[in-house]
Amino acid sequence: MAWYSSGSTNEELVENLWRSNLITTPLTKSAFLKVDRANYAPSDPYADSPQPIGHGATISAPHMHAQAVETLLPFLLPKEGQEEEKAAARSGSSVPNVVGQAGRPRRVLDIGSGSGYLTHVLAELVGDTGVVVGLEHIPALRDLGERNMAKSREGRALLDSGRVRFRVGDGRKGWSEASPGAAQPGVGGEAAPSAAEERGDKKEEAGGWDAIHVGAAAAELHDELVRQLRSPGRMFIPVEAEDGWDQYIWIVDKDEQGNVRKEKSVGVRYVPLTDAPK
Ligand code: SAH
């Protein structure tokens, strides 16, 4: 599949992803067009294959980024997305239903943010009020994501406004961070419990995440990440199969009542979600 979608420019790559049905919604396509992969991939930015970014990490292949965004899309779009959805429906394009509480700013966690590319694409989709946190366990890669994003005017604006933040922490524990203006919590995402959390019911409503993307293969479907999903919320996570050889994408949905559904999807190959190197 890889080489079919490669291009010689960002536009060509995105067009080929569209033609191959790897991108199927106009909103995803326009977000991919807004973010030039050349700012994030040090080599062959428009090839549909992963590229090394140092520290044993890779920027994932464009078709995997596309699949992640398409899967999470209904949990990324802000209220205004519903208008665009109607417009898209009128023009005959199919866009999934926008879910979530009307008017509530989106909160998205990108675990293993690496190059920062997907963090940027996600930020293009959540709108002006949304927040995307890119989480890395290697400080140099946290810095890389931020540096890459600062190469474009749009990226700098996202960083300056606080709508995108890159943090250092162990993604297996998730991350807890209030919306713009609030201070960063301690290492490992241990924030003081909010009033909502102390009430014990709607635990993650005050913080929590509408969408969690995991960019490295987890040994298990970490409960803590599922707990940090909002109701409703969705997680896209590659997980090692029990034989330790195969990996599959799992899509975890939490509905409005807090019921969790886990669905095994396609076979993939990601670098592992591990302890940080010493
Ligand atoms: N989405 C990124 C993928 C980078 S590769 C991109 O497309 O550029 C996976 C990343 O996961 C690596 O950068 C690696 O450092 C990070 N990672 C691995 N284990 C982690 C952990 N426990 N917590 C946070 N990040 C982790």
Side-chain angles (χ1 to χ4, degrees):
M1 175 195 298
W3 46 94
Y4 290 139
S5 301
S6 298
S8 55
T9 62
N10 204 56
E11 288 72 28
E12 213 174 279
L13 167 66
V14 176
E15 209 47 62
N16 288 339
L17 290 165
W18 176 260
R19 255 198 297 258
S20 312
N21 270 334
L22 294 161
I23 294 178
T24 59
T25 54
L27 289 168
T28 303
K29 187 179 182 187
S30 67
F32 272 64
L33 286 171
K34 284 183 194 154
V35 184
D36 190 344
R37 256 182 102 84
N39 289 337
Y40 294 90
S43 54
D44 289 336
Y46 308 126
D48 191 10
S49 55
Q51 301 294 329
I53 56 170
H55 304 272
T58 56
I59 174 172
S60 300
H63 67 268
M64 281 317 305
H65 284 149
Q67 191 171 354
V69 171
E70 293 278 1
T71 303
L72 295 173
L73 192 63
F75 298 83
L76 301 175
L77 299 178
K79 183 80 172 22
E80 309 87 85
Q82 294 175 350
E83 295 312 312
E84 292 179 48
E85 181 196 11
K86 281 184 207 139
R90 277 196 297 275
S91 70
S93 327
S94 73
V95 175
N97 288 331
V98 176
V99 297
Q101 286 170 16
R104 184 173 71 172
R106 293 300 195 181
R107 291 171 47 84
V108 178
L109 181 61
D110 182 21
I111 296 174
S113 49
S115 66
Y117 171 81
L118 190 67
T119 321
H120 190 165
V121 173
L122 293 167
E124 291 293 344
L125 286 159
V126 297
D128 292 344
T129 56
V131 170
V132 183
V133 174
L135 186 62
E136 256 301 329
H137 67 161
I138 299 177
L141 287 175
R142 187 219 78 93
D143 295 349
L144 177 74
E146 195 170 86
R147 226 172 31 246
N148 286 341
M149 188 172 277
K151 289 177 189 169
S152 66
R153 193 166 43 83
E154 299 77 16
R156 281 193 300 279
L158 287 167
L159 291 168
D160 291 347
S161 66
R163 287 169 49 211
V164 170
R165 306 98 179 263
F166 287 98
R167 302 295 193 218
V168 175
D170 183 349
R172 295 169 295 191
K173 298 182 183 149
W175 188 254
S176 172
E177 174 161 340
S179 283
Q184 186 187 347
V187 174
E190 263 116 32
S194 66
E197 281 169 337
E198 277 175 348
R199 277 199 304 276
D201 50 353
K202 296 223 160 202
K203 258 193 165 157
E204 292 303 327
E205 286 308 292
W209 308 101
D210 295 280
I212 299 179
H213 171 262
V214 185
E220 56 182 288
L221 246 172
H222 297 288
D223 288 342
E224 180 56 23
L225 299 183
V226 178
R227 198 183 67 83
Q228 290 186 14
L229 278 179
R230 280 175 156 177
S231 304
R234 177 173 288 175
M235 173 160 66
F236 178 101
I237 179 172
V239 183
E240 309 270 6
E242 274 172 16
D243 61 15
W245 187 246
D246 297 324
Q247 298 172 359
Y248 294 90
I249 295 296
W250 283 76
I251 296 163
V252 181
D253 274 324
K254 196 185 269 185
D255 70 14
E256 268 160 50
Q257 285 71 45
N259 303 312
V260 174
R261 205 174 123 250
K262 302 172 182 178
E263 190 192 313
K264 186 176 170 185
S265 180
V266 293
V268 288
R269 186 118 296 269
Y270 279 71
V271 302
L273 195 65
T274 59
D275 290 335
K278 298 270 180 278

